[in-house]
Amino acid sequence: MPLVDIQLIKGVFTPEQKKTMIGKVTDAIVSVEGEAMRGVTWVRVQEIESGEWAIGGQPLTTSDVKKLAAGG
């Protein structure tokens, strides 16, 4: 049974975007393992509080990630 964890900074993605991620990740697993695995493929979305995720010792916030996504 495949288990995929997706970790995100809280507040960056909408519920619809998270639903799309779950569906596409499931489809990717099924494309490798076969359709029989769809019913036993688990995908978990875990949200980390804004500022509690860091890169290079620098905390990232929800607004930081949204700026990056906007190209800034």
Side-chain angles (χ1 to χ4, degrees):
M1 298 187 317
L3 168 61
V4 179
D5 283 325
I6 301 171
Q7 297 183 355
L8 308 169
I9 295 176
K10 191 172 186 176
V12 173
F13 296 94
T14 67
E16 186 59 36
Q17 288 172 315
K18 290 183 275 187
K19 183 178 177 181
T20 298
M21 281 183 217
I22 290 167
K24 289 187 176 194
V25 168
T26 300
D27 289 343
I29 295 294
V30 168
S31 74
V32 173
E33 294 282 332
E35 189 62 40
M37 295 302 285
R38 185 174 298 278
V40 294
T41 297
W42 297 37
V43 179
R44 299 187 299 189
V45 175
Q46 300 173 348
E47 292 189 297
I48 309 301
E49 290 294 328
S50 179
E52 292 183 2
W53 185 311
I55 297 175
Q58 300 299 311
L60 289 175
T61 64
T62 302
S63 62
D64 292 334
V65 176
K66 287 184 176 186
K67 285 178 194 173
L68 286 170

